[in-house]
């Protein structure tokens, strides 16, 4: 096995030689040459870094002050909110959603807005012909927007074009259609998606260009392709909505430049997507007179309070095994609440079908909705409606105790703004001076059942 070559470096001028000498031939200084140890000595010689050294990187302390990254606002308020206040230069953004949900419509509208604000925007379509994109632009009234359009899937050609154009923002629709000629696999495969995402993200960072990638989703609602793509980009957005509803939600599940789990709400109309500045009023607009099983929950999505309606239906089951159907909430958490109601409060749901729905196509994930779900289930089972002007929130533990939740004051502010005058919340909830509402505080689920429904 051949010996690894030794390197000797002059500490004065940095000259490199293969043998030691007392005097440096480069600068003439004496006793400045010393052997340089390789970067890596562990493992096979062909697999280690060896003796080739890189350049030193600048280091700073944690107290170093840096200006926040400059942002460009599109003027599409809900889109800017989810991004954290606007588009950050040299950022990579991944947008996912179901087919036909409106991703291309949203991004074409955003592209036109960014172009109007002074950015040079290039829209690359890998799924549609330019004529189809122009047809959508005419329908949205964006034909005069200064957006440059291209249709291509070859990554090498796309990067060559972007180098010449030097845009500020590039939209790739979609990443699953891109293919790199140095990867021997079909477009849309794991290797191709990973390679294309890596090249485009690297291009964004090195050239100072913002890149928005459109991604497909699987049947489970997750972004298709390797999860490593989500780690490559700075921001991951999901465009959600039910086909039967006109509401669309843009949700940030990862954002290096702003709050995660922030949502933007849009309404799908004949002229495209319009912003919804007050989503609580929109989600509750179709709520009629109080009915059994209907409860309004005061929730928090990202940094904004949102009021949504939980609807429950409890009916005798004609089958030997009762059904548990959930839309817009976690099914396993529903099973936990049913178990707590039966074990701690003595209220059985055996032999009863349970259906739970979040009105308006909204998806709720925070534990603060536990008490609202329990109230909806009890209201449906006992056929007793809660007051129309009442909101409910609180987290439920397995012992039956109710735990306070964060941002209670913001929840109550939003409820009061929409005309609600009372709230049911856990004990020790700090309402502050802004609520101005009748607050009924409950310590546990047994007390809640007894006080509200007269049983327990």
């Amino acid at each position: 096995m051949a010996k690894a070559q030794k390197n000797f470096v002059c500490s004065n001028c940095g000259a490199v030689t293969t043998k030691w000498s007392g005097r440096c031939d480069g600068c003439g200084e004496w006793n400045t040459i010393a052997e340089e140890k390789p970067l890596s000595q562990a493992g096979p010689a062909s697999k280690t870094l060896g003796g080739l050294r890189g350049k030193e990187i600048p280091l700073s302390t944690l107290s170093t002050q840096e200006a926040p990254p400059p942002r460009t606002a599109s003027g599409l308020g809900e889109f800017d909110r989810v991004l954290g206040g606007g588009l950050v230069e040299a950022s990579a953004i991944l947008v996912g959603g179901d087919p036909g949900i409106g991703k291309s419509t949203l991004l074409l509208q955003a592209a036109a807005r960014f172009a109007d604000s002074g950015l040079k925007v290039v829209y690359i379509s890998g799924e549609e012909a330019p004529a189809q994109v122009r047809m959508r632009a005419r329908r949205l009234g964006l034909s005069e927007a200064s957006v440059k359009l291209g249709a291509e899937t070859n990554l090498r050609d796309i990067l060559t074009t972007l180098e010449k154009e030097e845009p500020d923002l590039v939209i790739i629709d979609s990443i699953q259609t891109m293919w790199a000629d140095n990867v021997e696999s079909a477009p849309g495969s794991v290797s191709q998606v990973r390679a294309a995402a890596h090249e485009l993200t690297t291009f964004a960072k090195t050239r100072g260009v913002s890149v928005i990638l459109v991604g497909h989703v699987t049947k489970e609602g997750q972004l298709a392709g390797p999860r490593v793509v989500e780690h490559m980009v700075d921001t991951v957005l999901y465009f959600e909505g039910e086909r039967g509803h006109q509401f669309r939600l843009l949700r940030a599940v990862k954002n290096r430049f702003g709050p995660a789990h922030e949502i933007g709400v849009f309404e799908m109309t004949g002229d495209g997507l319009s912003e919804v500045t007050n989503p609580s009023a929109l989600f509750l607009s179709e709520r009629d007179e109080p009915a059994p099983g209907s409860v309004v929950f005061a929730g928090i999505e990202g940094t904004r309070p949102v009021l949504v309606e939980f609807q429950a239906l409890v009916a005798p089951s004609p089958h030997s095994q009762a059904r548990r159907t959930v839309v817009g909430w976690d099914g396993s958490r529903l099973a936990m609440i049913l178990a707590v109601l039966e074990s701690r409060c003595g209220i059985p749901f055996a032999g009863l079908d349970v259906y739970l729905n979040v009105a308006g196509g909204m998806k709720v994930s925070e534990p603060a909705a536990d008490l609202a779900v329990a109230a909806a289930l009890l209201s449906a089972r006992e056929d007793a409606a809660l007051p129309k002007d009442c909101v409910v929130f609180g987290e439920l533990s397995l012992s039956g105790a109710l735990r306070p939740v964060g941002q209670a004051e913001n929840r109550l502010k939003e409820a009061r703004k929409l005309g609600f005058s009372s709230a049911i919340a856990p004990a020790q909830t700090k309402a502050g001076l802004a609520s101005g509402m009748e607050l009924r505080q409950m310590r546990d689920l047994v007390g809640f059942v007894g006080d509200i429904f007269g049983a327990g």
Side-chain angles (χ1 to χ4, degrees):
M1 183 175 179
K3 290 185 177 180
Q5 183 178 359
K6 294 183 178 180
N7 288 330
F8 296 86
V9 181
C10 174
S11 60
N12 184 55
C13 66
V16 180
T17 62
T18 57
K19 63 181 181 179
W20 182 88
S21 63
R23 184 173 183 269
C24 176
D25 295 334
C27 61
E29 293 291 331
W30 289 88
N31 298 324
T32 58
I33 295 180
E35 182 181 355
E36 184 180 60
K37 294 182 179 179
L39 287 175
S40 178
Q41 295 176 322
S46 60
K47 300 298 182 182
T48 59
L49 291 175
L52 183 61
R53 308 187 77 82
K55 63 179 182 180
E56 294 184 7
I57 61 175
L59 302 177
S60 60
T61 62
L62 295 177
S63 60
T64 302
Q65 298 292 329
E66 292 185 3
R71 298 179 182 270
T72 302
S74 66
L76 203 61
E78 295 295 298
F79 188 73
D80 293 335
R81 168 190 282 271
V82 178
L83 291 179
L87 184 68
V88 177
E89 182 181 340
S91 61
I93 302 167
L94 181 62
V95 180
D98 293 331
I101 202 68
K103 300 186 297 298
S104 299
T105 300
L106 172 66
L107 293 179
L108 188 58
Q109 290 183 230
R113 294 292 188 96
F114 280 120
D116 292 340
S117 65
L119 297 185
K120 185 176 182 180
V121 182
V122 173
Y123 189 104
I124 303 294
S125 176
E127 299 184 344
E128 298 176 313
Q132 293 175 291
V133 180
R134 293 191 190 98
M135 187 185 304
R136 181 183 296 114
R138 285 195 297 270
R139 178 172 58 85
L140 300 175
L142 304 175
S143 298
E144 303 301 321
S146 57
V147 177
K148 293 196 172 183
L149 176 63
E152 184 55 66
T153 58
N154 188 321
L155 189 61
R156 191 179 299 274
D157 296 343
I158 292 173
L159 294 178
T160 302
T161 304
L162 296 179
E163 282 184 350
K164 180 182 179 181
E165 292 290 334
E166 297 182 352
D168 300 308
L169 171 63
V170 179
I171 298 176
I172 305 293
D173 187 7
S174 67
I175 188 62
Q176 273 80 11
T177 61
M178 300 295 116
W179 62 277
D181 52 21
N182 62 325
V183 178
E184 296 181 356
S185 58
S189 63
V190 171
S191 301
Q192 285 285 5
V193 172
R194 182 189 290 115
H198 172 71
E199 293 292 342
L200 289 168
T201 303
T202 303
F203 179 84
K205 301 301 180 183
T206 56
R207 302 303 177 95
V209 178
S210 299
V211 176
I212 298 179
L213 310 175
V214 177
H216 297 169
V217 296
T218 61
K219 293 180 180 179
E220 292 76 22
Q222 302 297 320
L223 281 165
R227 296 304 296 268
V228 69
V229 174
E230 296 189 28
H231 300 291
M232 290 180 185
V233 298
D234 301 307
T235 304
V236 179
L237 309 179
Y238 279 88
F239 202 44
E240 306 170 350
E242 298 291 337
R243 294 296 180 90
H245 294 89
Q246 70 272 30
F247 311 133
R248 299 291 186 269
L249 274 75
L250 184 65
R251 186 187 304 271
V253 297
K254 171 190 174 183
N255 194 349
R256 290 174 179 163
F257 304 111
H261 302 291
E262 187 69 84
I263 66 167
V265 184
F266 300 87
E267 184 177 6
M268 181 64 78
T269 66
D271 298 326
L273 291 163
S274 61
E275 300 177 66
V276 178
T277 56
N278 191 347
S280 298
L282 187 64
F283 288 130
L284 299 178
S285 61
E286 300 176 0
R287 188 168 183 262
D288 300 322
E289 291 299 319
S294 174
V295 173
V296 176
F297 164 61
I300 296 289
E301 292 290 339
T303 59
R304 77 196 306 176
V306 178
L307 268 60
V308 295
E309 180 186 1
F310 275 92
Q311 300 170 344
L313 176 63
V314 178
S317 177
H319 308 287
S320 59
Q321 185 174 3
R323 297 190 62 176
R324 304 287 186 259
T325 304
V326 185
V327 177
W329 206 53
D330 186 7
S332 59
R333 203 157 186 92
L334 172 64
M336 182 197 78
I337 291 178
L338 292 174
V340 172
L341 285 171
E342 184 166 355
S343 177
R344 305 300 180 187
C345 304
I347 301 177
F349 283 83
L352 298 174
D353 288 337
V354 175
Y355 302 89
L356 183 69
N357 175 51
V358 182
M362 182 76 173
K363 293 182 180 179
V364 179
S365 59
E366 61 171 333
D370 290 350
L371 186 58
V373 172
L377 294 174
L378 291 169
S379 172
R381 187 183 186 279
E382 302 297 327
D383 197 27
L386 268 69
K388 184 178 181 179
D389 60 349
C390 180
V391 297
V392 183
F393 59 89
E395 183 180 353
L396 181 62
S397 65
L398 292 178
S399 64
L402 297 178
R403 304 177 61 185
V405 298
Q407 303 190 50
E409 187 173 346
N410 291 336
R411 301 172 196 265
L412 295 174
K413 273 184 180 179
E414 181 73 8
R416 184 186 180 190
K417 185 170 67 175
L418 293 176
F420 291 85
S421 59
S422 63
I424 302 174
Q428 302 177 352
T429 297
K430 298 179 181 179
L433 301 176
S435 63
M437 301 176 64
E438 179 188 352
L439 184 61
R440 303 180 63 177
Q441 296 184 327
M442 305 292 173
R443 293 191 174 276
D444 53 31
L445 194 58
V446 175
F448 170 78
V449 173
D451 291 350
I452 304 301
F453 296 98

